[in-house]
Amino acid sequence: MEVLIKWLLGGAVALVAALCLFLQGLYWYGARDLPGQLPGPSQQYPDATRALLWDQLGGRGEVSARKFNAITYPVNAASFGVRYYLLNPSRELQEPADLRLLDIVFNYTRGMIERQAQPPSPPIVHDNGTGSNAEALQPPSYDRHFQSLALPIRLSREWPATRMLDMVLEHADYGRGTTGLDEAAQAYFGAPAKRLSQAETVALLSLMFTPGYIDPYCDAADFRTRFVAALVKSDLAVIDGDPMAQLTRLKPIACKPAQ
C-alpha cells in the first residue's frame, strides 16, 4: 500500500511538472514573434484620472496589477471561468479588476502590433478567370492564438498598472467619432481632458463600459442610469438628485430619429 501511494504521488508530481513545461513551451512559442518593445501609450495621465478609471473597472484601494507567468495566468483565467460557468452561472461574477484591465490592454496592444506588422496593401487586381484570391482563402495562422497567451503575460510583467490605465485612457472609443480621453473631452465638453471635473471625467469613462453606445445628450434617460452607477463606483455624490446637473458643459449634437 505504501509503495502504491508513493507511485501515485510520484505520478501526480510528474503530471504537474509536464503540464508546467507544456504551458511554458506554449508561452515561448507565442512570444517568439512579439516585438522586443511592446507599443504603448504616448502620454501619462494624472493619478486622479487613473484612479477614476480604476474605480470603473471595479478596483478598490491602491492601483496595482499582479505579475503573471506561463502557469499563473492560465490558472487564474481558468479559475474565474470555472467559478462563473460552473459554480454560480446565474449570478453576475465580477472579474478581478487587474485581470479586466489586462484583457482590455491586451486587445489594444495586439491591434497595434498587427497594424505595425501589416505590409502595405497591394493594388487590387481583378482576375475574372479565377474569381477569387487564393491567399485570401488560406486559413488563419494558429500563431495568433499562442500570442494571445504570451502577450498578456509580457504586459503584466513589463508594464505597471498605471501604464496599462494610460493605454486604456488613450485608445478607448468614447463615441462621437472620438478615440482617447483628450478627443472625447473636446467633443463632449469643449475642454481639454486635464480641465474636466471629476463628474465629467466619470461621464466619459462610463461610455467605455456601455453595451452599445449611449450618447449623454441623445439618450439622456438611459445615460442617466449608467452615469449614476458610475458615480457610485467612484464614491462621487449626485448633486440635488440630478446627475445631469453636473454636466452643464455637455455639447448638444444632432440626434438620429428613433427607429
Side-chain angles (χ1 to χ4, degrees):
M1 186 66 179
E2 184 177 346
V3 174
L4 177 60
I5 292 176
K6 289 182 178 180
W7 272 102
L8 291 175
L9 289 176
V13 171
L15 182 62
V16 170
L19 178 60
C20 291
L21 288 174
F22 175 71
L23 292 174
Q24 188 65 50
L26 290 181
Y27 168 76
W28 285 332
Y29 184 81
R32 76 193 193 288
D33 290 331
L34 293 175
Q37 182 173 356
L38 300 176
S42 61
Q43 63 175 303
Q44 296 179 355
Y45 287 86
D47 288 337
T49 304
R50 293 166 171 167
L52 290 174
L53 175 55
W54 183 243
D55 291 337
Q56 297 307 308
L57 290 166
R60 284 291 175 264
E62 182 181 357
V63 173
S64 63
R66 288 168 287 178
K67 295 183 183 298
F68 295 104
N69 56 43
I71 291 90
T72 57
Y73 178 70
V75 166
N76 275 271
S79 173
F80 175 78
V82 168
R83 287 186 293 126
Y84 183 80
Y85 291 107
L86 297 181
L87 300 185
N88 201 349
S90 62
R91 184 173 64 87
E92 181 179 354
L93 183 63
Q94 182 65 49
E95 186 177 16
D98 60 342
L99 278 178
R100 191 178 183 191
L101 174 61
L102 184 58
D103 183 59
I104 298 172
V105 173
F106 155 71
N107 284 298
Y108 291 147
T109 307
R110 182 173 65 178
M112 293 178 68
I113 292 173
E114 291 178 347
R115 287 191 295 272
Q116 291 175 359
Q118 191 173 20
S121 300
I124 299 176
V125 178
H126 297 283
D127 187 349
N128 295 328
T130 60
S132 63
N133 186 329
E135 291 185 1
L137 297 177
Q138 290 180 353
S141 171
Y142 286 102
D143 288 357
R144 192 171 189 266
H145 298 291
F146 294 116
Q147 289 180 1
S148 297
L149 171 67
L151 181 54
I153 295 171
R154 273 197 60 184
L155 286 168
S156 76
R157 301 191 69 80
E158 297 179 12
W159 288 13
T162 51
R163 184 171 174 81
M164 295 185 196
L165 292 170
D166 289 342
M167 186 71 165
V168 177
L169 291 166
E170 184 174 310
H171 291 278
D173 180 354
Y174 295 84
R176 293 194 181 184
T178 64
T179 299
L181 188 64
D182 298 279
E183 285 186 14
Q186 291 291 347
Y188 286 92
F189 300 110
K194 63 182 178 181
R195 298 194 180 279
L196 296 181
S197 68
Q198 284 188 312
E200 289 170 337
T201 301
V202 169
L204 295 181
L205 296 180
S206 70
L207 298 174
M208 297 165 44
F209 305 102
T210 301
Y213 174 62
I214 296 178
D215 189 88
Y217 179 77
C218 297
D219 309 295
D222 291 334
F223 175 77
R224 182 181 288 108
T225 302
R226 301 279 183 179
F227 185 33
V228 169
L231 289 171
V232 170
K233 285 184 178 180
S234 294
D235 295 328
L236 298 178
V238 177
I239 298 177
D240 298 328
D242 182 11
M244 304 304 287
Q246 303 181 74
L247 307 181
T248 56
R249 293 194 290 180
L250 179 64
K251 297 169 67 174
I253 61 171
C255 302
K256 295 180 180 179
Q259 299 294 327

